[in-house]
Amino acid sequence: MNTGSDDPGEGAVATDGAKVSEEKAGERSGQAADGPTEESTGEASDHQGLGSRAPEFIKARRALHLSWQVGVFVVGLAVVVAGIIMLPLPGPGWVVIFGGMAIWATEFVWAQLVLRWTKRKVTEAAQRALDPKVRRRNITLTAIGLVIIGALVGVYLWKFGVVMPWKIKDQ
């Protein structure tokens, strides 16, 4: 773990201000002290840890912090519900849903973890999509799909002509 110091035995500082040894800090983050760091793996690091991002004066008062959390939850819920409504209707449904998740992530750890997982999966999918073999496969499947659709449209036009089904005269 990189503590910002080259001195052996120098500990990392936890978010609550307590000093943590490198081994325990590595165990907390799920990696060994001499395992790969975020810098060596190329992952973007979050400069702020998990947890509430409410202002300090709000976090200092329990009742105010609880009402802040309720407000964040209600606003996030409204945005997520609007996104769900937009899924079958015109509108950017998934973008709005993830926007609501981002609102929740300002206050709730579970939402932060879901967003991290989602970002990781989207990045992996983007990397896979850039693979030349996958690109060739996707282009081939798209071409086959367009040929099939063209054939179906041709059969429809050959059988019924340009007249739409709702304008067919009774015979």
Side-chain angles (χ1 to χ4, degrees):
M1 176 172 182
N2 185 3
T3 61
S5 173
D6 293 330
D7 298 334
E10 183 71 24
V13 177
T15 55
D16 61 356
K19 189 173 178 181
V20 180
S21 69
E22 288 186 24
E23 292 80 20
K24 288 185 180 177
E27 290 169 6
R28 276 191 190 169
S29 65
Q31 67 185 20
D34 33 313
T37 61
E38 290 180 358
E39 291 83 11
S40 67
T41 59
E43 293 180 23
S45 63
D46 288 335
H47 295 290
Q48 193 171 12
L50 296 174
S52 176
R53 287 175 173 73
E56 289 301 321
F57 74 92
I58 290 178
K59 287 195 274 189
R61 295 170 183 85
R62 178 78 177 127
L64 188 56
H65 191 227
L66 186 61
S67 62
W68 176 272
Q69 286 180 324
V70 169
V72 167
F73 182 80
V74 168
V75 170
L77 183 65
V79 173
V80 168
V81 167
I84 291 171
I85 290 171
M86 286 184 206
L87 286 175
L89 300 175
W94 285 111
V95 174
V96 174
I97 288 172
F98 289 123
M101 289 296 296
I103 291 171
W104 278 338
T106 63
E107 198 59 37
F108 304 108
V109 173
W110 61 267
Q112 293 169 2
L113 296 174
V114 167
L115 282 181
R116 283 185 184 179
W117 179 84
T118 304
K119 287 178 188 176
R120 188 171 54 250
K121 292 299 180 183
V122 167
T123 303
E124 290 171 6
Q127 291 301 321
R128 280 194 312 268
L130 294 176
D131 181 28
K133 291 179 182 178
V134 174
R135 287 176 57 104
R136 272 193 301 273
R137 183 198 66 201
N138 290 345
I139 289 171
T140 303
L141 290 174
T142 301
I144 291 170
L146 288 173
V147 167
I148 290 172
I149 290 172
L152 291 173
V153 168
V155 167
Y156 177 85
L157 290 175
W158 173 67
K159 182 137 175 101
F160 298 108
V162 182
V163 178
M164 295 295 153
W166 54 85
K167 292 186 180 179
I168 293 178
K169 296 176 185 172
D170 293 330
Q171 297 177 1

